[in-house]
Amino acid sequence: MKFARVPLSRAQGHILGHNVSRDGRRVLKKGRRLGDAELAEIRGAGLESMYVAELDASDVEEDVAAQRIGVALAERAGLRLVPAYGGRASLAARARGVLSIRSERLLELNLIPGVTLATPANHQLLGEGDSAGTLK
């Protein structure tokens, strides 16, 4: 994947590299694939070029990658996966309990380029539905 600033005429189909605001409010969130509606919104914000992510054939989109890793983590840890959006997937407690983190495994995961898992403190008490981690 490479990031580049491109004119809107070449942005179709690529992934938006940053949020777009108009009149003080966000109208497009980074990570969206750019189609006609998104490009019209960007033009309406007065922009003529945009930073986009250009995926290579072997690249995996952020949401897909976060979902794949999240499924594996949730299944092994007994957590509930909140579907990926914007390149992030959330892990939630299925029931009340103490979060047990294997720090060496967390470090190993976070050393993978482009992957980050943030968790609450080890041995923290979580209630059902509480966040057990955010994966990016």
Side-chain angles (χ1 to χ4, degrees):
M1 173 186 332
K2 56 187 168 188
F3 282 89
R5 181 176 274 288
V6 298
L8 292 186
S9 62
R10 288 193 27 236
Q12 179 91 20
H14 293 303
I15 298 171
L16 184 60
H18 56 78
N19 295 336
V20 174
S21 295
R22 184 175 179 181
D23 299 326
R25 72 180 235 291
R26 182 176 65 197
V27 292
L28 293 174
K29 191 173 180 181
K30 77 175 194 88
R32 288 182 72 151
R33 188 159 300 272
L34 296 173
D36 291 334
E38 291 79 11
L39 292 172
E41 194 69 56
I42 293 168
R43 280 189 198 90
L47 300 172
E48 296 177 9
S49 64
M50 177 74 20
Y51 275 102
V52 298
E54 298 178 87
L55 298 181
D56 294 327
S58 63
D59 287 334
V60 176
E61 290 189 39
E62 276 185 316
D63 284 351
V64 173
Q67 189 72 22
R68 286 179 184 171
I69 297 169
V71 164
L73 290 171
E75 285 176 358
R76 291 180 188 225
L79 299 169
R80 181 174 52 85
L81 178 66
V82 179
Y85 178 77
R88 285 181 164 67
S90 298
L91 299 165
R94 288 189 181 276
R96 187 169 196 253
V98 175
L99 180 64
S100 178
I101 299 169
R102 293 174 53 193
S103 58
E104 68 280 357
R105 293 287 185 215
L106 179 60
L107 176 60
E108 190 177 320
L109 182 67
N110 281 318
L111 287 174
I112 298 171
V115 177
T116 303
L117 175 61
T119 66
N122 198 16
H123 302 119
Q124 182 169 322
L125 179 63
L126 299 179
E128 181 180 348
D130 286 349
S131 175
T134 301
L135 178 69
K136 173 93 172 117

